[in-house]
Amino acid sequence: MIKVEGLTKRYARHVAVDHISFEVAKGQIVGFLGPNGAGKTTTMRMLTCFMPPTEGTAEVAGYDVIQNPMEVKRRIGYLPETPPLYPDMEVAEYLDFVSRIKNLPSAGRQARINQVMERCAVADVRNKEIGKLSKGYKQRVGLAQAIIHNPDVLILDEPTSGLDPHQIMETRDLIRELAGDHTIILSTHILPEVEQICERVVIIAKGKLVATDTVANLTTNLRGAETIALEVIGGDEASVRERLDRIAGILKVTTVPTDGRVRFTIDADKEKNVRPEIARAIIGSGWELHELHGVSMSLENIFLELTSNKEAA
Amino acid sequence: MNAFTIAKKELNLYFRSPIAYGIMGFFALVTGFFFYSAVGFFLQRSMQMAQMGQSTPMNVDEWVVRNVLSNISVVGLFLIPMMTMRSFAEEKRTGTIELLITSPLRDSEIIIGKWLGALVMYATLLGLTAVNMVTLYAYGTPDWRPMVVGYLGLLLQGGALLAIGILISSTTRNQIVAGVAGFCVCLLLWVLDWVTAFEASTLNKVIAYISVVSHFESFAKGVVDLKDVVYYITMIVLGLFLTARSMDSMRWRA
Ligand SMILES: Nc1ncnc2c1ncn2[C@@H]1O[C@H](COP(=O)(O)OP(=O)(O)O)[C@@H](O)[C@H]1O
Ligand SMILES: [Mg+2]
C-alpha cells in the first residue's frame, strides 16, 4: 500500500529526511516512531503530496506521489499535526465541505456524514462551532475529516499529542477501530503508543531510518534482549549453530556472510548473561573464539538514543 | 466545479466574521455620504443655474452618478486589502492549507474559488450602494446605461485588486502583513495615476497606464472602452497566475 524508496527532503540548510526506505502492506497499522525533529511530519507531507521530495520515490495506494498526485490524494485521508479545522464553521457543515472537496458523490453524502460523526463520537456537537469545542472533540473532528471519503490509506501525524490521558485513550480506541478498514500510518514520539496500537514500527531519528520491525520484536528487544556479535574460526557454520542452540537464553542466531570466517549475530536474553556460556561452548568444542562482544545498535540503545535526543531538543 | 465549493466556503466564512459586517456598514455609510453630498451639491447648483436663467438642465449622470461611482472606486481600493488579507495567510497560519492541498483539488480550483468568493462578496458591497442610485428614480428618470457600465467597471476593478490582494496573501502566513502590504500596493496603484498631472511624458504615461484608477474613468462616464476591459482582465489573469506560482514555490519551501 505504501512503498518508500530513498525518500529525501533537503531544506535550505539541512537534510530533514535522509534516504528513507520502508514498505507498509495493505491493512497494516504502522507506527512512525521518532523524537521531535526526526523528520516524521516532513515524511508524511511527502506521502500526502503536500510537498514533493527532493530525491527518491514514494508510492501510496498504487500511485507515485510525483507522477500521479491526484490519484494519491483521492485515496488518502490525512490528519496533520494540527487538525485542519475552520473554527467559524459548525461540525456538520465542515464535514460537508470536506466531503465535497474529496469528491464524495452527492447521493449518500449526508448519510455518510452522519455515519462518520457517529463513528468519531462528534454527532452530539454537530451544530456547534468548531472553535468552541474541546481539544479532544477537535481531534475527533479532525479524524472524521480524514475518513469521510473512506480512503484506502490513513496518514495520522501525532494524533494523540496535546490531549489529556482520557482523550488519548479515546483517540487510540478509535484508531484501533478504524484499523480494519484502512491501511494506517501514524507518527508518534511515544513508545507505549506504538506498542498499544501498531503492528509494525518504523523508527527514524535525525532524518535517518534507524530500524523497521514488528512491534512484537521491538518489545522483546526493548524488554531486556541484547545483540551479540560472534566470530568463530575452525568450526563450520552448521555445527556452531547447533552448539549455540543448546545454550539457554539465546533467542535467535543469524549468520553474517564473511569471507572465510564464520560470523553470527545473536539475539539473547540479557538476564541470562550468556556471553561466558558462549565462550565456554566454543572453546570446549575445540574451535577458536576470535571475537565476542555486544553490538551497540540494539533496539534498546536506539531507543535510549531517541529519548535522550528528545530531552535535548 | 470544486472552485464553486471553495467559493461557497469563502463566502460562508466572510459572512460569519464580524469584520464583514464592519466592512459592509462602513462601505454603506461612506458611499451613502458621498451620494447625498453629491445630490445636495447637484440640487444647489441646478437651483443657482435656474436663477441665472440657464435653460438647459444640469445632467444628473454627469454630476451625481459619475461622481459617486468614482468615489466608490477609490473607497474600494482601501477596502479590498481588508477582504483579501486572510485569504491564504490565514489558511497557512492555521494549517487548513494542508487540507486543501492534500485534497484532490487543482491549485487553480483553490485560487479561482477564493477569488470568486471574494468577488461575490465585493459585488454584495456594490449592491448596497446601488440602493442609493435607485432612489434617484424617485425624482427623475436618469439613464440606466451609464450606471450599469459604471458598476461593470467597479466589478472589473474590484476583480483586479482582489487578484492582487490574494497574490499578496499567498506570500505570507501573517494576515496583518498581507493587509498592510495590500493597502500599500493599492495606494501605490492609486497615486501612480497622478504622475500625468505634472508632466505628460511617455514614461509618465506608461506609469499611469499601470494605475488601476485611470482605467475606471471611461466606465464612470458610461463608456465601455475595450482597452480598459483588456487591462482589468489582464490584471486578474496575471494576479491569479502569479498566485499559482506562489503556491508552487511555497510547496517547495514549506
Ligand atoms: N519549512 C521548513 N524549513 C526548514 N526546515 C524545516 C522546515 N520544516 C521542518 N524543518 C526541519 O526539518 C526537521 C524535521 O522536522 P519534522 O519533520 O517536523 O520533524 P518531526 O515531525 O519528526 O518532529 C527539523 O529539524 C525541522 O526543524
Ligand atoms: Mg511533527
Side-chain angles (χ1 to χ4, degrees):
Chain A
M1 262 294 142
I2 301 174
K3 196 167 157 197
V4 174
E5 258 177 54
L7 201 66
T8 301
K9 181 75 191 180
R10 252 189 293 278
Y11 286 117
R13 272 163 215 272
H14 70 290
V15 186
V17 175
D18 195 358
H19 295 90
I20 282 185
S21 305
F22 64 91
E23 280 185 38
V24 180
K26 190 171 157 63
Q28 260 184 351
I29 169 161
V30 170
F32 208 48
L33 183 67
N36 288 328
K40 304 184 293 293
T41 300
T42 307
T43 305
M44 290 185 148
R45 284 179 164 176
M46 290 189 278
L47 295 182
T48 54
C49 311
F50 179 71
M51 55 186 181
T54 321
E55 236 179 82
T57 59
E59 206 177 83
V60 178
Y63 291 92
D64 189 284
V65 293
I66 301 164
Q67 315 285 326
N68 263 317
M70 263 313 175
E71 296 304 319
V72 172
K73 289 177 190 183
R74 272 187 240 282
R75 290 166 179 80
I76 54 159
Y78 175 37
L79 176 61
E81 216 162 344
T82 30
L85 307 171
Y86 295 100
D88 291 337
M89 280 194 197
E90 291 166 12
V91 172
E93 182 191 7
Y94 170 71
L95 292 176
D96 181 74
F97 168 68
V98 177
S99 72
R100 282 167 198 269
I101 60 173
K102 302 287 184 188
N103 293 328
L104 214 65
S106 58
R109 179 185 296 146
Q110 196 51 53
R112 176 65 186 163
I113 292 171
N114 290 336
Q115 185 192 350
V116 166
M117 281 193 296
E118 289 294 336
R119 181 141 205 200
C120 297
V122 294
D124 52 327
V125 294
R126 57 181 302 152
N127 294 322
K128 274 229 176 99
E129 262 177 46
I130 293 173
K132 297 196 173 128
L133 298 178
S134 72
K135 254 195 132 165
Y137 266 110
K138 280 183 187 160
Q139 194 71 13
R140 292 205 300 275
V141 175
L143 272 169
Q145 164 275 130
I147 62 170
I148 189 97
H149 52 305
N150 198 19
D152 294 339
V153 176
L154 263 185
I155 297 179
L156 314 173
D157 197 356
E158 309 225 7
T160 61
S161 75
L163 300 181
D164 67 37
H166 181 71
Q167 294 165 339
I168 289 178
M169 278 204 348
E170 284 175 345
T171 308
R172 282 181 191 162
D173 286 343
L174 179 57
I175 294 171
R176 259 195 301 263
E177 279 172 38
L178 293 173
D181 305 339
H182 314 270
T183 303
I184 303 181
I185 169 162
L186 69 88
S187 76
T188 178
H189 59 267
I190 307 160
L191 178 67
E193 183 152 288
V194 171
E195 282 186 72
Q196 283 179 29
I197 321 181
C198 305
E199 302 161 50
R200 282 181 58 80
V201 60
V202 174
I203 304 179
I204 64 167
K206 296 177 193 150
K208 289 204 168 64
L209 186 84
V210 178
T212 123
D213 209 339
T214 64
V215 170
N217 279 352
L218 173 75
T219 41
T220 34
N221 278 314
L222 289 178
R223 294 231 177 85
E226 63 176 342
T227 307
I228 297 162
L230 170 70
E231 191 172 319
V232 178
I233 296 176
D236 67 303
E237 188 201 327
S239 42
V240 177
R241 253 177 186 282
E242 195 263 332
R243 181 66 192 87
L244 288 173
D245 281 343
R246 278 189 270 144
I247 299 170
I250 287 187
L251 305 170
K252 199 169 119 211
V253 180
T254 26
T255 313
V256 186
T258 328
D259 48 322
R261 303 161 182 177
V262 191
R263 282 188 73 109
F264 302 93
T265 303
I266 300 166
D267 289 335
D269 189 338
K270 200 162 60 184
E271 301 292 302
K272 296 262 165 63
N273 192 20
V274 292
R275 270 184 250 180
E277 181 90 24
I278 293 173
R280 270 195 297 277
I282 301 297
I283 305 291
S285 308
W287 303 316
E288 247 175 82
L289 179 60
H290 197 245
E291 204 177 306
L292 176 66
H293 62 88
V295 177
S296 61
M297 284 314 264
S298 74
L299 281 170
E300 183 193 29
N301 288 335
I302 289 159
F303 198 70
L304 278 177
E305 199 198 326
L306 291 176
T307 40
S308 64
N309 281 349
K310 195 177 91 189
E311 275 148 21
Chain B
M1 186 59 213
N2 270 324
F4 292 117
T5 309
I6 300 288
K8 211 181 118 210
K9 171 224 132 199
E10 292 288 310
L11 269 177
N12 215 332
L13 292 184
Y14 273 130
F15 287 105
R16 293 271 157 105
S17 76
I19 300 171
Y21 293 96
I23 291 179
M24 280 202 282
F26 178 74
F27 202 65
L29 212 69
V30 169
T31 55
F33 170 76
F34 284 138
F35 180 75
Y36 288 104
S37 62
V39 169
F41 182 69
F42 171 72
L43 291 178
Q44 195 191 359
R45 285 294 297 265
S46 22
M47 228 114 72
Q48 281 173 355
M49 293 286 203
Q51 277 167 0
M52 291 187 318
Q54 281 257 10
S55 53
T56 46
M58 277 169 65
N59 187 339
V60 74
D61 296 326
E62 195 176 314
W63 286 90
V64 177
V65 177
R66 189 183 300 180
N67 237 317
V68 171
L69 289 177
S70 297
N71 284 330
I72 293 174
S73 92
V74 173
V75 177
L77 219 52
F78 297 101
L79 281 184
I80 280 172
M82 283 196 239
M83 294 174 55
T84 54
M85 62 186 196
R86 288 169 63 99
S87 182
F88 275 97
E90 187 71 355
E91 305 243 23
K92 281 162 83 171
R93 190 184 65 82
T94 62
T96 46
I97 192 76
E98 289 199 59
L99 168 65
L100 298 184
I101 290 186
T102 61
S103 292
L105 293 169
R106 277 185 289 273
D107 285 1
S108 59
E109 288 177 309
I110 300 173
I111 294 166
I112 291 172
K114 280 183 168 290
W115 176 78
L116 214 55
L119 191 68
V120 172
M121 171 74 191
Y122 187 63
T124 311
L125 290 176
L126 293 180
L128 291 175
T129 70
V131 176
N132 291 322
M133 297 293 188
V134 171
T135 59
L136 286 178
Y137 286 88
Y139 305 104
T141 50
D143 191 355
W144 58 269
R145 274 162 301 197
M147 284 193 207
V148 171
V149 170
Y151 276 103
L152 176 73
L154 285 177
L155 212 55
L156 280 170
Q157 181 192 302
L161 292 173
L162 288 169
I164 293 169
I166 288 172
L167 167 63
I168 291 168
S169 182
S170 75
T171 61
T172 173
R173 51 194 301 144
N174 183 331
Q175 55 167 316
I176 304 301
V177 169
V180 171
F183 182 80
C184 292
V185 169
C186 283
L187 194 68
L188 196 67
L189 288 174
W190 185 37
V191 299
L192 279 182
D193 184 39
W194 299 350
V195 294
T196 42
F198 311 130
E199 189 198 347
S201 70
T202 320
L203 176 66
N204 286 2
K205 275 184 192 154
V206 170
I207 294 173
Y209 179 79
I210 301 168
S211 164
V212 184
V213 182
S214 63
H215 295 273
F216 181 68
E217 276 157 20
S218 61
F219 288 99
K221 289 176 190 147
V223 181
V224 182
D225 190 331
L226 191 65
K227 133 177 149 293
D228 297 326
V229 175
V230 167
Y231 167 83
Y232 283 131
I233 290 179
T234 310
M235 289 297 266
I236 292 169
V237 172
L238 191 68
L240 298 183
F241 172 77
L242 290 178
T243 309
R245 305 304 312 149
S246 156
M247 263 183 97
D248 227 30
S249 84
M250 174 188 82
R251 190 164 288 156
W252 285 95
R253 281 179 290 113

